[in-house]
Amino acid sequence: MNIQIFGRGKCFETKKAERYFKERRVSFQSIDLPKKGMSAGELRNIKAAVGSLDALIDTQAKGYAESTLAYAPSVQAKEAILLEQPQFFKTPIVRNGKQATVGYKPEIWKQWE
């Protein structure tokens, strides 16, 4: 398994995901979205794995309603805004190769083991 956890340092759900893998002694790479962000290629692969870009967008995030992301006309425009403003990603995003989940999903992660 090659686990990557994209999240925020203060996000409770991200900490739960990290704890899940630590308890099972599964090594993972933790990526702080606000600091490091996500590459365009990673975004495309994760979007394909979860089914849609909307599954990755946190509509409850502070400032979402006032952001240009809420009114972006196309998927390409939304992708560009997400790459520039990673605070609007739902977290954690857990990736295992070509597979990915958004949020705390231990029932799916168990199948990866």
Side-chain angles (χ1 to χ4, degrees):
M1 275 196 299
N2 185 20
I3 304 293
Q4 290 180 312
I5 301 175
F6 294 86
R8 292 182 202 83
K10 295 183 179 183
C11 173
F12 180 69
E13 295 292 308
T14 300
K15 289 179 182 182
K16 279 177 39 179
E18 290 174 350
R19 187 171 49 245
Y20 175 89
F21 289 105
K22 281 180 187 175
E23 288 172 354
R24 285 154 184 79
R25 293 188 171 91
V26 175
S27 62
F28 60 90
Q29 178 185 11
S30 184
I31 299 157
D32 190 3
L33 276 172
K35 289 182 184 175
K36 303 265 183 176
M38 184 183 291
S39 74
E42 287 172 328
L43 178 58
R44 278 193 300 276
N45 290 338
I46 291 170
K47 180 180 77 169
V50 299
S52 74
L53 186 64
D54 291 333
L56 296 171
I57 298 172
D58 185 2
T59 58
Q60 304 301 315
K62 184 178 180 181
Y64 173 79
E66 296 83 29
S67 73
T68 55
L69 181 59
Y71 306 102
S74 67
V75 172
Q76 292 81 11
K78 288 180 181 182
E79 285 179 5
I81 294 166
L82 272 176
L83 292 173
E84 291 175 17
Q85 300 174 348
Q87 71 267 23
F88 295 123
F89 278 109
K90 278 185 189 173
T91 55
I93 299 170
V94 181
R95 182 176 171 198
N96 180 23
K98 297 277 185 198
Q99 301 171 315
T101 62
V102 180
Y104 184 73
K105 308 280 184 181
E107 63 279 358
I108 295 172
W109 304 334
K110 187 175 275 192
Q111 295 172 7
W112 294 351
E113 295 177 15

